[in-house]
């Protein structure tokens, strides 16, 4: 009897596998890739991982803007993937409350804690209202612009002058990383670490942010059981994640403790409110009940929002401009035309001046369309729903929006969608063409639209005009711009350029 039982086991297992495979085929009605037994569609993704964003763009163009990705059996790697603006509009705006980040998202993005990017429902609303009130304060707006202006004038331009005089190749992405890190430290913590220095020494905290973001991307492309085992054993990418989070936490908590001590002294001396308007100070004064964990999570989320995204946008913008001389010429011509006789003594432009540069605005929007700083977004359905495209969404379904693919779809942007063409953003009357946020989704859409959108444009325009007026940026011969495998769309090997002074 025992022998017959053992002999039947493989048959039962084979039957079970066949039935499960058949069940998956029935459930997956719109497959994006070949669904292999046991491994699902993961092998094809891993084979194309080095070009993941372009790979998914090609797949979505071939099979339609919405389809299903199924991971290995019995893993939580099944997704509905879409780049259809109508579906995006439905999920991010019309039926916003049914599509949340969810517990799985918070598990993968554990480094973000319970900050605004991972929170849902009342916790998200509280964070949103709090930051909105802080960002709209006039004192903060003045402080923000002054900080950016001073860093461009006293940090960025002197460094580029030094590099230009030496005639050496420089990684412009690294320069922007340091520039934005100093900026965000000043704006959030009220302290400038001066990472943007001539010696370009390694900054441990900056490296830790990059490693944490790469680890989060890694968690999206391997089964949860794999990265959980790696975390338990402290090996591979998960070891880097643990070490990065430790470095980040030590840095942030030290600044929080220092700020508390600083504020207690100011209170004792009855110093005025205007002396400190950085966001950490404002958070401490705005909510006396905010504990260190809340402040840590808030600071981390603000750092990612205000540092990495700006670095990404500036890096891809300058690469596109440097490789499209006609666009560069038009930006310079607009600066000369709109700013009149100021062109020869141009320094760092004011907010009012950069707002007049329509073609530059179009060029930045084009860069963000083609290379959105956050290349994909992730949501989870609370209840069953039917998307406008006709695709069924079950309760608990994970959805991925490919923002990268959305900027490359003919149906939305026309047959020239792969071209860098700032003119598509400019109307016949010379104004900015309005594009709904669910089509141009670089700053998200619906209630979760980025609060820092306007300040981001101001910062990018200040940097772009200051550099383009004084210098010509030339990409080194043979350099290939490759997107990094991270949740933020940086360049894998940086942006290698030579800086030369522009003839005025």
């Amino acid at each position: 009897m025992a022998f017959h039982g053992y002999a039947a086991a493989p048959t039962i297992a084979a039957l079970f596998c066949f039935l499960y495979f058949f069940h998956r085929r029935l459930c997956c009605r719109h497959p994006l890739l070949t669904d292999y037994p046991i491994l699902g569609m993961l092998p094809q993704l891993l084979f194309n991982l080095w070009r993941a964003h372009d790979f998914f763009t090609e797949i979505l163009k071939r099979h339609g803007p919405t389809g299903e990705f199924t991971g290995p059996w019995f893993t939580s790697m099944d997704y509905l993937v879409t780049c259809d603006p109508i579906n995006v509009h439905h999920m991010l705006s019309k039926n916003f409350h049914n599509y949340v980040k969810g517990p799985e998202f918070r598990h993968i993005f554990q480094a973000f804690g319970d900050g605004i990017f991972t929170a849902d429902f009342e916790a998200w609303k509280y964070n949103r209202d709090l930051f909105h009130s802080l960002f709209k304060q006039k004192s903060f707006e003045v402080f923000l612009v002054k900080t950016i202006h001073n860093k461009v004038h006293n940090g960025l331009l002197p460094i580029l002058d030094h590099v230009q005089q030496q005639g050496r190749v420089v990684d412009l992405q690294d320069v922007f990383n340091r520039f934005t890190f100093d900026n965000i430290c000043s704006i959030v913590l009220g302290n400038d670490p001066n990472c943007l220095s001539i010696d370009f020494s390694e900054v441990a905290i900056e490296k830790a942010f990059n490693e944490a973001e790469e680890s989060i991307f890694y968690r999206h492309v391997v089964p949860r059981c794999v990265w959980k085992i790696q975390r338990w054993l402290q090996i591979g990418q998960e070891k880097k994640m643990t070490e990065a989070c430790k470095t980040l936490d030590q840095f942030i908590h030290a600044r929080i403790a220092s700020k508390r001590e600083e504020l207690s002294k100011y209170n004792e001396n009855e110093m005025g409110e205007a002396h400190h308007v950085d966001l950490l100070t404002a958070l401490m004064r705005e909510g006396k009940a905010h504990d260190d964990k809340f402040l840590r999570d808030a600071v981390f989320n603000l750092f990612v929002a205000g540092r990495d995204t700006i670095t990404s946008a500036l890096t891809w913008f300058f690469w596109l401009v440097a490789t499209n001389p006609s666009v560069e010429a038009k930006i310079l011509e607009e600066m000369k035309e709109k700013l009149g006789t100021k062109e020869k003594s141009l320094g760092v432009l004011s907010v009012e001046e950069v707002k007049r540069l329509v073609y530059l605005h179009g060029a930045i929007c084009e860069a963000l369309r083609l290379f959105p700083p956050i290349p994909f977004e992730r949501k989870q359905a609370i209840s069953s729903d039917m998307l406008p495209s006709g695709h069924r969404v079950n309760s608990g379904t994970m959805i991925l929006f490919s923002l990268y693919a959305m900027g490359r779809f003919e149906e939305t942007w026309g047959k020239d969608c792969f071209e860098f063409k700032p003119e598509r953003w400019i109307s016949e009357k010379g104004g900015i063409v309005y594009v709904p946020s669910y089509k141009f989704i670089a700053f998200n859409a619906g209630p979760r639209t980025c609060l820092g959108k306007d300040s981001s444009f101001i910062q990018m325009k200040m940097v772009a005009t200051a550099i383009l007026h004084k210098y010509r940026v030339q990409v080194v011969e043979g350099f290939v711009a490759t997107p990094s495998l991270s949740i933020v769309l940086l360049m894998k090997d940086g942006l290698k350029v030579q800086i030369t002074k522009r003839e005025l």
Side-chain angles (χ1 to χ4, degrees):
M1 290 291 292
F3 173 78
H4 289 297
Y6 285 124
T11 304
I12 294 171
L15 179 61
F16 171 77
C17 288
F18 172 78
L19 291 173
Y20 186 72
F21 182 63
F22 184 68
H23 167 72
R24 277 172 62 105
R25 284 294 179 92
L26 283 177
C27 292
C28 185
R29 298 182 180 180
H30 308 279
L32 289 173
L33 300 165
T34 302
D35 187 8
Y36 294 104
I38 301 176
L39 297 177
M41 300 177 187
L42 186 60
Q44 295 159 90
L45 173 60
L46 295 178
F47 183 76
N48 290 278
L49 190 60
W50 62 278
R51 54 186 291 271
H53 302 302
D54 287 310
F55 174 64
F56 267 109
T57 300
E58 293 165 9
I59 295 301
L60 289 166
K61 287 171 82 75
R62 186 159 64 240
H63 292 279
T66 304
E68 294 168 76
F69 176 90
T70 54
W73 292 7
F74 309 112
T75 66
S76 56
M77 289 189 69
D78 295 350
Y79 297 99
L80 182 71
V81 185
T82 186
C83 64
D84 188 335
I86 303 302
N87 286 343
V88 170
H89 184 46
H90 176 81
M91 288 185 271
L92 297 187
S93 297
K94 286 190 172 182
N95 202 11
F96 169 75
H97 294 290
N98 191 51
Y99 296 92
V100 297
K101 300 290 185 174
E104 181 69 17
F105 182 99
R106 284 183 282 279
H107 206 48
I108 290 175
F109 285 75
Q110 71 175 77
F112 284 72
D114 298 319
I116 190 170
F117 289 140
T118 59
D120 286 317
F121 308 117
E122 291 304 315
W124 167 76
K125 190 175 185 306
Y126 176 79
N127 274 274
R128 178 86 178 182
D129 291 344
L130 176 61
F131 286 129
H132 185 264
S133 68
L134 295 179
F135 290 170
K136 291 303 178 184
Q137 291 178 11
K138 187 63 180 177
S139 60
F140 176 71
E141 290 180 7
V142 172
F143 172 64
L144 176 73
V145 173
K146 183 180 178 182
T147 300
I148 296 168
H149 187 284
N150 288 343
K151 198 65 195 179
V152 174
H153 186 267
N154 300 319
L156 183 60
L157 294 180
I159 287 293
L160 294 179
D161 260 333
H162 176 75
V163 169
Q164 177 268 323
Q165 288 166 13
Q166 287 191 326
R168 65 185 174 112
V169 171
V170 66
D171 179 357
L172 197 56
Q173 179 171 266
D174 183 40
V175 172
F176 290 145
N177 244 334
R178 295 166 183 274
F179 167 78
T180 55
F181 184 74
D182 285 350
N183 261 346
I184 204 65
C185 280
S186 298
I187 293 165
V188 175
L189 305 175
N191 175 260
D192 184 351
N194 290 311
C195 296
L196 189 60
S197 57
I198 291 173
D199 58 0
F200 286 97
S201 57
E202 184 173 281
V203 182
I205 185 67
E206 183 190 0
K207 182 181 178 183
F209 269 109
N210 292 337
E211 289 186 342
E213 289 158 2
E214 289 170 3
S215 297
I216 291 170
F217 181 88
Y218 174 78
R219 289 180 175 186
H220 279 86
V221 297
V222 298
R224 181 169 58 179
C225 60
V226 173
W227 63 259
K228 277 196 167 185
I229 290 172
Q230 288 186 328
R231 186 176 65 177
W232 180 58
L233 296 174
Q234 281 302 288
I235 59 174
Q237 199 69 39
E238 286 300 310
K239 182 180 180 181
K240 290 183 180 180
M241 176 70 141
T242 301
E243 292 172 349
C245 286
K246 183 179 178 180
T247 300
L248 293 168
D249 286 348
Q250 287 175 344
F251 171 79
I252 295 172
H253 282 297
R255 296 304 178 275
I256 291 171
S258 175
K259 182 63 68 176
R260 286 198 187 281
E261 183 180 349
E262 183 183 330
L263 286 178
S264 67
K265 292 179 181 177
Y266 280 126
N267 289 336
E268 290 171 9
N269 296 326
E270 297 181 350
M271 305 252 334
E273 294 280 325
H275 282 74
H276 287 77
V277 288
D278 60 85
L279 287 172
L280 181 56
T281 298
L283 283 170
M284 288 180 170
R285 287 176 169 166
E286 190 79 15
K288 301 294 185 183
H290 290 156
D291 60 15
D292 283 6
K293 184 184 184 309
F294 178 91
L295 295 172
R296 179 266 173 212
D297 293 345
V299 167
F300 186 96
N301 282 253
L302 288 167
F303 262 71
V304 174
R307 166 191 170 265
D308 298 14
T309 54
I310 299 295
T311 296
S312 168
L314 285 172
T315 301
W316 289 106
F317 169 80
F318 272 93
W319 176 73
L320 287 165
V321 170
T323 53
N324 290 270
S326 62
V327 172
E328 180 184 40
K330 289 177 182 178
I331 293 173
L332 294 171
E333 183 60 33
E334 180 182 54
M335 288 168 61
K336 182 178 179 180
E337 179 187 329
K338 295 284 179 71
L339 303 175
T341 57
K342 285 188 176 182
E343 69 267 17
K344 290 186 179 179
S345 58
L346 185 67
V348 184
L349 297 184
S350 66
V351 174
E352 292 72 25
E353 287 172 322
V354 297
K355 283 182 177 179
R356 292 162 58 191
L357 301 174
V358 176
Y359 189 83
L360 174 62
H361 187 93
I364 292 173
C365 287
E366 269 293 86
L368 293 170
R369 174 182 73 84
L370 289 167
F371 299 100
I374 306 300
F376 65 92
E377 176 65 278
R378 176 187 175 122
K379 292 285 187 180
Q380 183 174 9
I382 298 175
S383 304
S384 297
D385 192 18
M386 182 67 74
L387 298 181
S389 62
H391 292 79
R392 180 75 180 172
V393 173
N394 296 320
S395 173
T397 296
M398 298 290 181
I399 300 119
L400 284 181
F401 309 141
S402 175
L403 281 65
Y404 186 91
M406 285 182 72
R408 289 166 161 74
F409 247 67
E410 264 185 45
E411 289 80 357
T412 305
W413 301 103
K415 292 185 177 181
D416 59 355
C417 60
F418 285 91
E419 293 181 29
F420 179 53
K421 190 177 177 183
E423 288 79 7
R424 79 174 78 244
W425 295 89
I426 302 169
S427 69
E428 292 181 1
K429 294 182 178 180
I432 297 295
V433 171
Y434 169 73
V435 177
S437 58
Y438 60 87
K439 290 185 178 180
F440 175 55
I441 199 172
F443 294 96
N444 216 321
R448 282 190 180 260
T449 297
C450 177
L451 290 169
K453 178 179 178 180
D454 292 339
S455 60
S456 296
F457 270 113
I458 288 168
Q459 184 171 178
M460 287 187 281
K461 288 176 183 177
M462 281 184 170
V463 172
T465 51
I467 293 178
L468 290 174
H469 173 70
K470 289 192 69 174
Y471 309 105
R472 186 179 174 209
V473 178
Q474 295 173 285
V475 178
V476 298
E477 190 175 347
F479 173 81
V480 177
T482 306
S484 62
L485 297 180
S486 176
I487 58 170
V488 179
L489 198 67
L490 298 169
M491 286 190 185
K492 181 182 177 183
D493 301 309
L495 176 55
K496 304 300 191 300
V497 302
Q498 284 192 307
I499 306 288
T500 56
K501 276 214 165 172
R502 196 180 293 283
E503 297 280 337
L504 296 179

